[in-house]
């Protein structure tokens, strides 16, 4: 089946467009308005390649070998050798949808008209996306400077008919995949290999995926934490809008507003406005807007950086508007590395406070009369005792993974590339962190649902009742102990799919 095709304008692509491509598997093509600029830059590179002056990457070696002049008749060999020699990735292959997103980001970068590639290069990338030819790209080997060299080389090798590609659900030699899709390998011209492997598209694709999935988790955290608040008969007084307006942080204000809407109309809440001997709830209940709201602000800051990077020309050298061919350093992924670290910190903190809510609900000394471990028959049954332990393990793992990566650097390429960003694995770890966070939130949802059900005949609000009902479609109420692993998996999947958050059927925050 031919995928839908999204038309993109280089320099003006939105995060919403990129998320649609990532989630739907849509193909992409550049708006034809990009073509004149691309062809002008390609003509300038062709002229430089035919000239006698040394121009880095056009008629010279690369990196530490930049001082070596390359004869004009060796241009094609130079570019081919560059790609093949840089195919040094190791580890598991990129997930298909992330690899396709990386290809789209490379299209956008080339489409800025500063890279000097022919339109034929762009056309092949577009055709591979449209016909479902996806290069097999090992996910390890980039330090995020001088471009994501190894992974982008594997992408480019498939365009040459080298390496492997996935087509029709099978991995096969790239030459076969291209042929079966009715495509032909390309022969690279001057600078084209360098333009394809210089750039931050590997790091940026993973960072964007971390952002998109992280935002879903943040939305779920708001919804599930509101359910937890009702489960422990928490107060809604800390959600008063004036409290949050007096501080002024946008995410905090928005988080509190969403939680007020979620809890509005809860009979459980109304039942303990009078006569409740508790003066204040623990921070994991009382400070939810201050923590999750702050994480939302951090995610939005990272989003702005990544949107700019997705639209950027990040290879080297670049063909400027006046025709100059100038070497710079736009391939250095420091902005992406910082954004990835920011996302990691936000994910870790959302999980940390969610885990404390889980611990609160299973502890009979803190949960305001809920049974131990949320089982109707404690002692004979252990209930959600070890589910809480699992959340503690995942929370701790995410804390470890949240350690900044951008602060690390090591010289490479004989000290020519003497400071690097480490953005590649900084961004890649976000997928693991989001998986962990979805599992933590899934367990919280299970605990909160049990707690609310124990409050019967008192009922929660209409939005939260819809959330509970959606959870119960996939995860039954826990009575007697049972094999729980499938329930944890199902709850985590609902969180990751945005199903619990959207089932509340109220307006939720957007990036």
């Amino acid at each position: 089946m031919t995928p839908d095709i999204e038309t993109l304008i280089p320099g003006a692509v939105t995060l919403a467009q990129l998320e649609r491509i990532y989630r739907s598997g849509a193909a992409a093509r550049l708006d034809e308005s990009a073509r004149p600029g691309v062809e002008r830059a390609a003509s300038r590179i062709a002229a430089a390649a035919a000239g006698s002056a040394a121009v880095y990457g056009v008629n010279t070696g690369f990196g530490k070998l930049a001082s070596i002049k390359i004869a004009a008749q060796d241009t094609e060999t130079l570019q081919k050798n560059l790609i093949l020699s840089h195919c040094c990735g190791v580890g598991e292959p990129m997930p298909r949808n992330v690899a396709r997103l990386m290809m789209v980001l490379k299209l956008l970068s080339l489409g800025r008209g500063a890279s000097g590639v022919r339109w034929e290069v762009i056309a092949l990338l577009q055709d591979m996306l449209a016909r479902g030819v996806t290069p097999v790209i090992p996910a390890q080997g980039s330090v995020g400077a001088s471009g994501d060299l190894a992974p982008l080389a594997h992408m480019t090798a498939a365009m040459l008919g080298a390496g492997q590609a996935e087509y029709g659900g099978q991995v096969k030699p790239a030459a076969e995949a291209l042929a079966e899709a009715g495509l032909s390998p390309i022969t690279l011209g001057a600078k084209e290999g360098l333009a394809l492997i210089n750039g931050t598209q590997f790091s940026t694709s993973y960072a964007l995926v971390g952002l998109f999935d992280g935002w879903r988790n943040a939305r779920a955290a708001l919804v599930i934490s509101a359910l937890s608040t009702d489960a422990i008969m928490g107060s809604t007084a800390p959600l008063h809008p004036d409290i949050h307006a007096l501080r002024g942080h946008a995410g905090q204000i928005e988080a509190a507003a969403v939680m007020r809407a979620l809890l509005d109309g809860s009979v459980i809440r109304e039942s303990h406005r009078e006569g409740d001997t508790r003066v204040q709830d623990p921070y994991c209940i009382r400070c939810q807007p201050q923590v999750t709201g702050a994480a939302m602000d951090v995610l939005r800051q990272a989003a702005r950086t990544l949107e700019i990077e997705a639209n950027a020309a990040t290879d080297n050298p670049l063909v400027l508007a006046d025709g100059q061919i100038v070497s710079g350093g736009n391939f250095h992924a420091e902005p992406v590395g910082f954004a990835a670290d920011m996302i990691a910190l936000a994910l870790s903190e959302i999980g940390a406070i969610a885990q404390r809510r889980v611990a609160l609900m299973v502890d009979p000394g803190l949960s305001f009369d809920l049974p131990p471990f949320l089982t109707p028959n404690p002692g004979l049954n252990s209930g959600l005792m070890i589910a809480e332990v699992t959340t503690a393990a995942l929370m701790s793992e995410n804390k470890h993974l949240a350690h900044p990566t951008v602060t690390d650097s090591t010289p490479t390429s004989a000290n020519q590339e003497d400071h690097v960003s480490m953005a590649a694995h900084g961004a890649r770890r976000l997928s693991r962190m989001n998986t962990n966070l979805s599992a933590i939130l899934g367990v919280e949802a299970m605990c909160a649902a049990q707690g609310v059900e124990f409050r019967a005949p008192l009922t929660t609000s209409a939005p939260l009742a819809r959330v509970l009902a959606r959870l119960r479609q996939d995860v039954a109420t826990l009575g007697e102990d049972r094999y729980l692993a499938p329930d944890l998996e199902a709850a985590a999947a609902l969180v990751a799919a945005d199903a619990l958050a959207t089932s509340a059927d109220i307006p939720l925050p957007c990036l």
Side-chain angles (χ1 to χ4, degrees):
M1 188 172 92
T2 303
D4 293 334
I5 298 178
E6 186 102 19
T7 300
L8 306 175
I9 300 174
V13 170
T14 66
L15 293 179
Q17 288 177 292
L18 295 173
E19 184 168 11
R20 280 198 299 273
I21 290 168
Y22 162 61
R23 297 208 183 277
S24 70
R29 64 179 179 86
L30 300 185
D31 190 271
E32 279 294 316
S33 63
R35 187 164 185 162
V38 169
E39 293 180 337
R40 277 194 300 271
S43 296
R44 179 68 187 93
I45 290 295
S52 57
V55 180
Y56 174 70
V58 177
N59 53 16
T60 72
F62 307 103
K64 198 75 171 180
L65 306 176
S67 60
I68 301 175
K69 187 79 159 48
I70 306 298
Q73 64 268 25
D74 292 328
T75 295
E76 291 179 4
T77 302
L78 173 70
Q79 298 298 317
K80 180 180 179 181
N81 287 349
L82 173 70
I83 301 308
L84 298 179
S85 68
H86 282 55
C87 286
C88 293
V90 299
E92 294 296 316
M94 294 178 73
R96 183 176 183 272
N97 57 346
V98 185
R100 286 174 62 85
L101 180 60
M102 185 181 82
M103 294 166 72
V104 171
L105 295 178
K106 178 52 74 175
L107 275 178
L108 292 174
S109 184
L110 299 178
R112 291 297 301 272
S115 299
V117 302
R118 294 164 297 152
W119 190 258
E120 288 88 338
V121 174
I122 288 171
L124 179 56
L125 268 175
Q126 292 179 156
D127 287 343
M128 289 170 70
L129 285 165
R131 302 187 193 187
V133 179
T134 306
V136 175
I137 302 167
Q140 293 173 274
S142 174
V143 295
S146 197
D148 291 316
L149 296 171
L152 288 170
H154 282 276
M155 178 198 78
T156 307
M159 300 171 69
L160 307 182
Q164 293 185 310
E166 184 269 330
Y167 178 71
Q170 294 184 322
V171 173
K172 55 191 67 182
E176 290 182 21
L178 289 172
E180 290 178 20
L183 301 173
S184 299
I186 197 167
T187 299
L188 297 176
K191 191 189 173 291
E192 288 179 338
L194 190 60
L196 285 161
I197 68 170
N198 258 189
T200 66
Q201 287 76 37
F202 174 89
S203 298
T204 305
S205 63
Y206 268 106
L208 284 169
V209 169
L211 174 70
F212 298 149
D213 292 345
W215 191 257
R216 282 191 169 184
N217 275 324
R219 284 157 50 110
L222 289 178
V223 173
I224 295 167
S225 66
L227 194 65
S228 298
T229 300
D230 243 9
I232 63 101
M233 288 189 154
S235 174
T236 54
L239 302 177
H240 194 292
D242 288 359
I243 292 174
H244 306 286
L246 282 166
R247 198 173 199 188
H249 291 296
Q252 177 180 329
I253 292 168
E254 190 172 10
V258 169
M259 292 187 68
R260 287 196 303 274
L262 287 163
L263 286 157
D264 184 45
S266 168
V267 177
I268 294 173
R269 172 64 190 110
E270 296 305 317
S271 72
H272 62 98
R273 285 191 184 274
E274 303 294 334
D276 193 333
T277 58
R278 296 171 297 174
V279 177
Q280 294 185 126
D281 293 319
Y283 288 178
C284 67
I285 297 295
R286 191 177 1 139
C287 298
Q288 292 170 84
Q290 287 83 353
V291 176
T292 304
M296 288 162 51
D297 283 339
V298 169
L299 291 173
R300 283 171 168 153
Q301 291 174 45
R304 299 292 79 77
T305 295
L306 295 176
E307 188 171 61
I308 291 168
E309 190 72 10
N311 283 286
T314 57
D315 67 279
N316 180 63
L318 293 173
V319 182
L320 306 185
D322 62 3
Q324 292 186 79
I325 303 172
V326 181
S327 288
N330 279 4
F331 49 70
H332 200 296
E334 195 82 357
V336 182
F338 276 124
D341 282 347
M342 291 165 65
I343 295 168
L345 291 170
L347 300 180
S348 180
E349 281 298 275
I350 293 170
I353 195 170
Q355 199 282 327
R356 297 318 304 153
R357 292 191 294 269
V358 172
L360 179 72
M361 286 184 282
V362 301
D363 186 340
L366 299 173
S367 63
F368 201 60
D369 297 331
L370 290 176
F373 305 107
L374 298 165
T375 176
N377 188 12
L380 180 62
N381 293 285
S382 297
L384 293 168
M385 178 190 295
I386 302 305
E388 185 269 330
V389 174
T390 296
T391 66
L394 296 174
M395 173 191 68
S396 183
E397 183 175 318
N398 271 6
K399 288 179 180 179
H400 172 74
L401 290 170
H403 184 85
T405 61
V406 79
T407 53
D408 186 27
S409 181
T410 190
T412 62
S413 298
N415 279 299
Q416 177 75 7
E417 298 154 11
D418 58 352
H419 181 277
V420 299
S421 72
M422 299 300 180
H425 65 270
R428 188 163 47 84
R429 66 170 159 175
L430 299 177
S431 296
R432 180 174 163 190
M433 292 186 72
N434 270 311
T435 298
N436 291 345
L437 178 53
S438 293
I440 293 170
L441 293 170
V443 172
E444 184 188 357
M446 292 171 62
C447 291
Q450 288 281 120
V452 165
E453 289 169 340
F454 277 122
R455 301 299 180 190
L458 301 177
T459 56
T460 189
S461 67
L464 293 178
R466 290 190 287 269
V467 174
L468 196 157
R470 180 63 189 89
L471 177 69
R472 289 295 177 237
Q473 290 177 23
D474 292 16
V475 181
T477 300
L478 182 62
E480 298 300 305
D481 280 351
R482 62 174 184 256
Y483 187 68
L484 277 177
D487 293 325
L488 269 65
E489 184 178 354
L494 288 172
V495 172
D498 214 23
L500 288 187
T502 55
S503 67
D505 196 25
I506 67 165
L508 292 170
C510 298
L511 269 174

